[in-house]
mmCIF file of all heavy atoms in Angstrom:
data_model
loop_
_atom_site.group_PDB
_atom_site.id
_atom_site.type_symbol
_atom_site.label_atom_id
_atom_site.label_comp_id
_atom_site.label_asym_id
_atom_site.label_seq_id
_atom_site.Cartn_x
_atom_site.Cartn_y
_atom_site.Cartn_z
ATOM 1 N N CYS X 6 -58.128 16.459 -76.185
ATOM 2 C CA CYS X 6 -59.666 16.572 -76.490
ATOM 3 C C CYS X 6 -60.068 17.991 -76.433
ATOM 4 O O CYS X 6 -59.661 18.691 -75.458
ATOM 5 C CB CYS X 6 -60.376 15.563 -75.544
ATOM 6 S SG CYS X 6 -62.129 15.747 -75.724
ATOM 7 N N LYS X 13 -72.251 20.185 -76.007
ATOM 8 C CA LYS X 13 -72.604 20.159 -74.570
ATOM 9 C C LYS X 13 -71.335 19.627 -73.824
ATOM 10 O O LYS X 13 -71.296 18.465 -73.428
ATOM 11 C CB LYS X 13 -73.721 19.170 -74.297
ATOM 12 C CG LYS X 13 -75.044 19.663 -74.905
ATOM 13 C CD LYS X 13 -76.216 18.763 -74.718
ATOM 14 C CE LYS X 13 -77.529 19.442 -75.103
ATOM 15 N NZ LYS X 13 -78.515 18.425 -75.411
ATOM 16 N N PHE X 27 -59.069 9.332 -68.049
ATOM 17 C CA PHE X 27 -58.361 10.613 -67.599
ATOM 18 C C PHE X 27 -58.291 11.447 -68.951
ATOM 19 O O PHE X 27 -57.847 11.004 -70.001
ATOM 20 C CB PHE X 27 -56.971 10.277 -67.121
ATOM 21 C CG PHE X 27 -56.303 11.504 -66.531
ATOM 22 C CD1 PHE X 27 -56.386 11.699 -65.144
ATOM 23 C CD2 PHE X 27 -55.574 12.378 -67.325
ATOM 24 C CE1 PHE X 27 -55.733 12.922 -64.501
ATOM 25 C CE2 PHE X 27 -55.001 13.606 -66.751
ATOM 26 C CZ PHE X 27 -55.088 13.752 -65.349
ATOM 27 N N LEU X 53 -57.856 20.731 -67.547
ATOM 28 C CA LEU X 53 -57.816 21.745 -68.499
ATOM 29 C C LEU X 53 -56.435 22.196 -68.894
ATOM 30 O O LEU X 53 -55.470 22.345 -67.908
ATOM 31 C CB LEU X 53 -58.432 22.915 -67.907
ATOM 32 C CG LEU X 53 -59.249 23.954 -68.780
ATOM 33 C CD1 LEU X 53 -60.077 23.222 -69.822
ATOM 34 C CD2 LEU X 53 -60.041 25.047 -67.921
ATOM 35 N N LEU X 55 -53.750 24.798 -70.964
ATOM 36 C CA LEU X 55 -53.705 26.137 -71.534
ATOM 37 C C LEU X 55 -52.939 26.054 -72.957
ATOM 38 O O LEU X 55 -51.821 25.597 -73.079
ATOM 39 C CB LEU X 55 -52.753 26.910 -70.463
ATOM 40 C CG LEU X 55 -52.490 28.401 -70.920
ATOM 41 C CD1 LEU X 55 -53.741 29.192 -71.027
ATOM 42 C CD2 LEU X 55 -51.522 28.938 -69.999
ATOM 43 N N ARG X 69 -51.276 36.725 -75.527
ATOM 44 C CA ARG X 69 -50.063 36.205 -74.962
ATOM 45 C C ARG X 69 -49.950 36.701 -73.447
ATOM 46 O O ARG X 69 -49.425 35.825 -72.672
ATOM 47 C CB ARG X 69 -48.842 36.890 -75.747
ATOM 48 C CG ARG X 69 -48.550 36.079 -77.073
ATOM 49 C CD ARG X 69 -47.385 36.629 -77.687
ATOM 50 N NE ARG X 69 -47.262 36.163 -79.064
ATOM 51 C CZ ARG X 69 -46.578 36.728 -80.040
ATOM 52 N NH1 ARG X 69 -46.006 37.920 -79.832
ATOM 53 N NH2 ARG X 69 -46.537 36.349 -81.296
ATOM 54 N N ALA X 71 -52.274 36.876 -71.283
ATOM 55 C CA ALA X 71 -53.118 35.900 -70.539
ATOM 56 C C ALA X 71 -52.381 34.534 -70.396
ATOM 57 O O ALA X 71 -52.440 33.915 -69.377
ATOM 58 C CB ALA X 71 -54.474 35.905 -71.127
ATOM 59 N N GLU X 84 -53.430 23.460 -76.871
ATOM 60 C CA GLU X 84 -52.590 23.041 -78.107
ATOM 61 C C GLU X 84 -51.797 24.161 -78.431
ATOM 62 O O GLU X 84 -52.211 25.240 -78.622
ATOM 63 C CB GLU X 84 -53.656 22.591 -79.148
ATOM 64 C CG GLU X 84 -52.963 22.080 -80.414
ATOM 65 C CD GLU X 84 -54.032 21.477 -81.301
ATOM 66 O OE1 GLU X 84 -55.189 21.221 -80.946
ATOM 67 O OE2 GLU X 84 -53.675 20.977 -82.446
ATOM 68 N N GLU X 92 -52.920 26.154 -94.883
ATOM 69 C CA GLU X 92 -53.858 26.883 -94.011
ATOM 70 C C GLU X 92 -53.004 27.860 -93.159
ATOM 71 O O GLU X 92 -53.583 28.886 -92.676
ATOM 72 C CB GLU X 92 -54.581 25.843 -93.236
ATOM 73 C CG GLU X 92 -55.937 26.155 -92.794
ATOM 74 C CD GLU X 92 -56.552 25.018 -91.939
ATOM 75 O OE1 GLU X 92 -56.127 23.775 -92.234
ATOM 76 O OE2 GLU X 92 -57.392 25.362 -91.181
ATOM 77 N N GLY X 93 -51.875 27.517 -92.627
ATOM 78 C CA GLY X 93 -51.128 28.272 -91.743
ATOM 79 C C GLY X 93 -49.931 29.109 -92.291
ATOM 80 O O GLY X 93 -49.388 29.940 -91.631
ATOM 81 N N ILE X 99 -45.573 34.910 -87.198
ATOM 82 C CA ILE X 99 -46.223 35.050 -85.848
ATOM 83 C C ILE X 99 -46.169 33.686 -85.016
ATOM 84 O O ILE X 99 -45.993 33.794 -83.958
ATOM 85 C CB ILE X 99 -47.693 35.608 -86.062
ATOM 86 C CG1 ILE X 99 -47.841 36.708 -86.977
ATOM 87 C CG2 ILE X 99 -48.326 35.839 -84.703
ATOM 88 C CD1 ILE X 99 -49.153 37.177 -87.250
ATOM 89 N N PHE X 104 -44.621 30.360 -80.566
ATOM 90 C CA PHE X 104 -44.188 29.204 -80.046
ATOM 91 C C PHE X 104 -42.873 29.478 -79.224
ATOM 92 O O PHE X 104 -42.737 28.839 -78.122
ATOM 93 C CB PHE X 104 -43.963 28.227 -81.111
ATOM 94 C CG PHE X 104 -43.693 26.765 -80.708
ATOM 95 C CD1 PHE X 104 -44.505 26.160 -79.576
ATOM 96 C CD2 PHE X 104 -42.715 25.977 -81.183
ATOM 97 C CE1 PHE X 104 -44.200 24.821 -79.206
ATOM 98 C CE2 PHE X 104 -42.536 24.672 -80.688
ATOM 99 C CZ PHE X 104 -43.209 24.199 -79.683
ATOM 100 N N LEU X 108 -42.551 28.608 -75.251
ATOM 101 C CA LEU X 108 -41.406 27.799 -74.728
ATOM 102 C C LEU X 108 -40.577 28.528 -73.686
ATOM 103 O O LEU X 108 -40.104 28.143 -72.655
ATOM 104 C CB LEU X 108 -40.522 27.318 -75.818
ATOM 105 C CG LEU X 108 -41.114 26.284 -76.679
ATOM 106 C CD1 LEU X 108 -40.161 25.992 -77.949
ATOM 107 C CD2 LEU X 108 -41.341 24.920 -75.877
ATOM 108 N N ARG X 109 -40.469 29.922 -73.884
ATOM 109 C CA ARG X 109 -39.737 30.865 -72.994
ATOM 110 C C ARG X 109 -40.526 30.923 -71.730
ATOM 111 O O ARG X 109 -40.000 30.928 -70.562
ATOM 112 C CB ARG X 109 -39.694 32.314 -73.562
ATOM 113 C CG ARG X 109 -38.454 33.090 -73.098
ATOM 114 C CD ARG X 109 -38.135 34.171 -74.229
ATOM 115 N NE ARG X 109 -39.244 35.022 -74.559
ATOM 116 C CZ ARG X 109 -39.563 35.219 -75.845
ATOM 117 N NH1 ARG X 109 -38.936 34.542 -76.843
ATOM 118 N NH2 ARG X 109 -40.578 35.980 -76.115
ATOM 119 N N GLY X 112 -40.146 27.803 -69.726
ATOM 120 C CA GLY X 112 -38.812 27.601 -69.288
ATOM 121 C C GLY X 112 -38.475 26.267 -69.040
ATOM 122 O O GLY X 112 -38.766 25.391 -69.778
ATOM 123 N N THR X 139 -37.795 18.233 -73.119
ATOM 124 C CA THR X 139 -37.972 16.827 -73.608
ATOM 125 C C THR X 139 -39.440 16.433 -73.057
ATOM 126 O O THR X 139 -40.148 17.146 -72.387
ATOM 127 C CB THR X 139 -36.941 15.804 -72.907
ATOM 128 O OG1 THR X 139 -37.077 16.002 -71.548
ATOM 129 C CG2 THR X 139 -35.640 16.230 -73.411
ATOM 130 N N ALA X 158 -35.545 10.042 -80.503
ATOM 131 C CA ALA X 158 -34.246 10.057 -79.943
ATOM 132 C C ALA X 158 -34.105 11.247 -78.935
ATOM 133 O O ALA X 158 -33.342 11.197 -77.978
ATOM 134 C CB ALA X 158 -33.275 10.233 -81.051
ATOM 135 N N GLY X 160 -36.402 12.130 -76.935
ATOM 136 C CA GLY X 160 -37.211 11.740 -75.766
ATOM 137 C C GLY X 160 -38.654 12.201 -75.732
ATOM 138 O O GLY X 160 -39.318 12.335 -74.730
ATOM 139 N N THR X 172 -56.169 4.585 -91.018
ATOM 140 C CA THR X 172 -55.697 5.019 -92.455
ATOM 141 C C THR X 172 -54.309 4.440 -92.616
ATOM 142 O O THR X 172 -53.520 4.293 -91.592
ATOM 143 C CB THR X 172 -55.482 6.438 -92.650
ATOM 144 O OG1 THR X 172 -54.649 6.941 -91.510
ATOM 145 C CG2 THR X 172 -56.857 7.265 -92.390
ATOM 146 N N PRO X 183 -41.798 3.671 -80.887
ATOM 147 C CA PRO X 183 -41.639 2.665 -79.797
ATOM 148 C C PRO X 183 -42.914 2.466 -78.808
ATOM 149 O O PRO X 183 -43.472 3.656 -78.563
ATOM 150 C CB PRO X 183 -40.389 3.140 -78.996
ATOM 151 C CG PRO X 183 -39.822 4.163 -79.928
ATOM 152 C CD PRO X 183 -40.974 4.677 -80.823
ATOM 153 N N VAL X 198 -66.410 9.124 -85.116
ATOM 154 C CA VAL X 198 -66.547 7.670 -85.049
ATOM 155 C C VAL X 198 -67.865 7.277 -85.630
ATOM 156 O O VAL X 198 -68.841 7.683 -85.053
ATOM 157 C CB VAL X 198 -66.419 7.169 -83.572
ATOM 158 C CG1 VAL X 198 -66.685 5.678 -83.443
ATOM 159 C CG2 VAL X 198 -65.097 7.407 -83.062
ATOM 160 N N GLN X 202 -69.396 12.493 -83.128
ATOM 161 C CA GLN X 202 -68.043 13.052 -82.818
ATOM 162 C C GLN X 202 -67.454 12.137 -81.704
ATOM 163 O O GLN X 202 -68.220 11.565 -80.780
ATOM 164 C CB GLN X 202 -68.405 14.480 -82.206
ATOM 165 C CG GLN X 202 -68.888 15.405 -83.114
ATOM 166 C CD GLN X 202 -69.378 16.721 -82.501
ATOM 167 O OE1 GLN X 202 -69.841 16.744 -81.398
ATOM 168 N NE2 GLN X 202 -69.110 17.881 -83.203
ATOM 169 N N GLU X 212 -56.777 1.678 -78.564
ATOM 170 C CA GLU X 212 -56.236 0.515 -77.631
ATOM 171 C C GLU X 212 -56.370 -0.777 -78.385
ATOM 172 O O GLU X 212 -55.451 -1.567 -78.399
ATOM 173 C CB GLU X 212 -56.985 0.460 -76.299
ATOM 174 C CG GLU X 212 -56.701 1.563 -75.397
ATOM 175 C CD GLU X 212 -57.669 1.629 -74.142
ATOM 176 O OE1 GLU X 212 -58.625 0.846 -74.214
ATOM 177 O OE2 GLU X 212 -57.360 2.502 -73.276
ATOM 178 N N HIS X 217 -54.138 -5.170 -81.461
ATOM 179 C CA HIS X 217 -53.989 -5.978 -82.748
ATOM 180 C C HIS X 217 -52.563 -5.983 -83.287
ATOM 181 O O HIS X 217 -51.891 -6.941 -83.726
ATOM 182 C CB HIS X 217 -55.105 -5.491 -83.738
ATOM 183 C CG HIS X 217 -54.986 -5.992 -85.091
ATOM 184 N ND1 HIS X 217 -55.378 -7.250 -85.446
ATOM 185 C CD2 HIS X 217 -54.413 -5.525 -86.191
ATOM 186 C CE1 HIS X 217 -55.146 -7.580 -86.694
ATOM 187 N NE2 HIS X 217 -54.552 -6.500 -87.202
ATOM 188 N N VAL X 226 -52.598 -3.007 -73.442
ATOM 189 C CA VAL X 226 -52.242 -1.771 -74.018
ATOM 190 C C VAL X 226 -52.582 -0.564 -73.134
ATOM 191 O O VAL X 226 -51.727 0.323 -72.969
ATOM 192 C CB VAL X 226 -52.927 -1.689 -75.370
ATOM 193 C CG1 VAL X 226 -52.661 -0.361 -76.016
ATOM 194 C CG2 VAL X 226 -52.510 -2.843 -76.312
ATOM 195 N N VAL X 230 -49.989 2.274 -71.924
ATOM 196 C CA VAL X 230 -50.208 3.731 -72.134
ATOM 197 C C VAL X 230 -50.308 4.471 -70.732
ATOM 198 O O VAL X 230 -49.685 5.571 -70.655
ATOM 199 C CB VAL X 230 -51.493 3.935 -73.019
ATOM 200 C CG1 VAL X 230 -51.994 5.505 -72.923
ATOM 201 C CG2 VAL X 230 -51.390 3.539 -74.332
#
Side-chain angles (χ1 to χ4, degrees):
C6 176
K13 292 181 177 160
F27 189 96
L53 207 50
L55 175 65
R69 280 183 193 155
E84 180 165 359
E92 215 180 327
I99 309 175
F104 190 44
L108 292 170
R109 206 159 54 235
T139 59
T172 60
V198 173
Q202 297 171 324
E212 294 170 350
H217 171 78
V226 171
V230 168

